[in-house]
Amino acid sequence: MPSTRSLRGLHQVTCPACFGRLQDAVSLACGHTVCGLCLPPSTPMGAQLLCPLCQEEEEEDARAAMIPVPLGPLGETCCQEHGEKIYFFCETDAELLCVFCREGPSHQTHTVGFLDEAIQPYRERLKSRLKALSMERDKMEDLKCQEDQKLQVLLTQIESKKQQVEAAFERLQQELGDQRHLLLARLGELEQQIQKERNEYVTKISGEVDRLGAQVEELEEKCQQPARELFQDVRLNQSRYEVNTFVSPEAISSDLVKKIRNIHRKILALPEMMRTFSEHLIRHLETDAAPRRHAAAAAGPATSP
């Protein structure tokens, strides 16, 4: 490839005095081409003008006779040393040459060809590399498209799974709610039955208490009667005041007791059932992060040697 030095003139001509891009370039009598701004400022009449490179003296009047150097359009390849357009390429030194460089002693024995012809192998290599890079880019774009499609499918699946989870837990919540209402309804029925049997029991006991109370009051009055009247009344109503055995009714029926015990056993088992279900659910849904945490905990803290 061309050397760095020879390629500096590919996009702009460099001033040998300021090493910047040539602006308002002029060619001096000594043969050097420099920026107009690189020349010394105007001096008094008769003073000598020095070339900023070789310091060769020129008459001040020579300033007016300086010929502007046409640099050509932006991007035109020009020689740094002579300011001439580049036509040749030295394959030996890999340098760009103008006509003067080509005829100079440095490149007389070198292999020199026209620039347009010499650049063709480099251009072909660049085109080949461009084709390979384009194919690689297209391949990467196709791969990116394929992977994006895979990721989109996965994202769609994740969204579907999220909806399934929401639906599953909504159903679970609905089932738990239904069972809760069922248990509460059964407890409510038992509560009503208990209240009913309690009222019936109280009614029976209260009636018997009232009957016995009336007899007690009657006997108390009889006890206050004279002996003749009391003796005559006892003879006539002896069986009336005999104490009858009262069979006390059950406060709660045996059928109700069975129902209460049955619901009690079911409710008593609820915490254990919920705990077991929760443990099974956690183990089933546990991610692979949990085993790593357990393994790290089992390994314990690292001990220093």
Side-chain angles (χ1 to χ4, degrees):
M1 292 297 290
S3 64
T4 304
R5 180 180 68 84
S6 63
L7 285 177
R8 289 178 181 170
L10 276 173
H11 300 292
Q12 62 185 24
V13 179
T14 304
C15 174
C18 65
F19 300 103
R21 188 174 183 273
L22 277 172
Q23 298 182 5
D24 300 327
V26 292
S27 180
L28 302 175
C30 62
H32 291 125
T33 301
V34 296
C35 295
L37 297 177
C38 292
L39 294 176
S42 298
T43 56
M45 185 63 65
Q48 298 295 318
L49 176 64
L50 299 178
C51 172
L53 296 177
C54 64
Q55 301 297 315
E56 183 176 337
E57 296 182 355
E58 298 185 13
E59 296 293 334
E60 179 65 21
D61 292 341
R63 183 186 294 272
M66 293 177 188
I67 302 175
V69 178
L71 299 179
L74 181 64
E76 187 176 78
T77 307
C78 297
C79 177
Q80 298 181 69
E81 182 177 356
H82 303 103
E84 296 293 331
K85 186 176 180 180
I86 297 296
Y87 290 100
F88 305 98
F89 175 71
C90 176
E91 297 182 5
T92 304
D93 293 339
E95 292 186 2
L96 301 174
L97 308 178
C98 67
V99 175
F100 295 106
C101 294
R102 172 69 180 84
E103 298 299 330
S106 301
H107 302 282
Q108 286 293 327
T109 59
H110 294 173
T111 302
V112 178
F114 286 102
L115 179 62
D116 291 340
E117 296 176 358
I119 200 66
Q120 282 305 119
Y122 301 103
R123 196 184 303 278
E124 293 300 325
R125 283 197 291 269
L126 289 176
K127 288 182 179 179
S128 176
R129 182 57 180 164
L130 173 62
K131 181 179 179 181
L133 289 176
S134 298
M135 293 177 62
E136 186 68 18
R137 179 199 61 190
D138 295 341
K139 181 179 178 181
M140 293 302 296
E141 287 181 350
D142 293 340
L143 180 62
K144 174 179 175 293
C145 182
Q146 294 175 6
E147 294 303 317
D148 285 343
Q149 291 178 354
K150 292 180 182 179
L151 292 175
Q152 187 59 42
V153 171
L154 290 177
L155 290 175
T156 303
Q157 292 177 352
I158 290 297
E159 184 62 28
S160 175
K161 297 305 178 183
K162 289 169 61 177
Q163 296 176 2
Q164 292 180 11
V165 169
E166 291 288 346
F169 277 89
E170 285 179 2
R171 288 194 299 270
L172 178 60
Q173 186 176 7
Q174 181 64 38
E175 289 292 335
L176 291 175
D178 293 344
Q179 295 301 320
R180 171 177 172 270
H181 290 307
L182 178 62
L183 284 176
L184 291 177
R186 295 179 66 181
L187 288 173
E189 293 175 358
L190 289 177
E191 183 180 19
Q192 293 178 358
Q193 189 172 352
I194 291 173
Q195 189 67 31
K196 177 183 177 181
E197 293 193 5
R198 174 180 178 276
N199 293 335
E200 292 175 354
Y201 175 79
V202 170
T203 299
K204 291 180 180 180
I205 293 297
S206 297
E208 186 65 19
V209 169
D210 292 341
R211 184 184 68 80
L212 292 176
Q215 289 184 356
V216 169
E217 291 179 358
E218 184 178 356
L219 288 176
E220 288 178 347
E221 292 178 356
K222 294 296 182 180
C223 289
Q224 301 297 327
Q225 291 179 355
R228 183 177 177 180
E229 295 179 4
L230 179 59
F231 182 74
Q232 184 179 0
D233 186 64
V234 168
R235 281 193 312 167
L236 296 175
N237 303 289
Q238 185 175 1
S239 60
R240 179 181 176 183
Y241 300 110
E242 292 179 356
V243 178
N244 297 324
T245 302
F246 174 72
V247 179
S248 177
E250 293 182 351
I252 301 178
S253 63
S254 58
D255 181 61
L256 181 57
V257 171
K258 292 180 180 179
K259 291 180 179 180
I260 293 175
R261 289 177 177 175
N262 184 38
I263 195 68
H264 174 72
R265 284 193 298 269
K266 292 181 178 180
I267 294 176
L268 191 64
L270 277 179
E272 180 64 20
M273 293 173 62
M274 295 302 295
R275 185 185 65 82
T276 303
F277 170 76
S278 178
E279 291 177 353
H280 289 170
L281 181 63
I282 292 174
R283 284 196 297 268
H284 180 68
L285 301 179
E286 193 174 34
T287 62
D288 59 351
R292 289 199 298 267
R293 290 197 300 267
H294 296 333
T303 57
S304 59

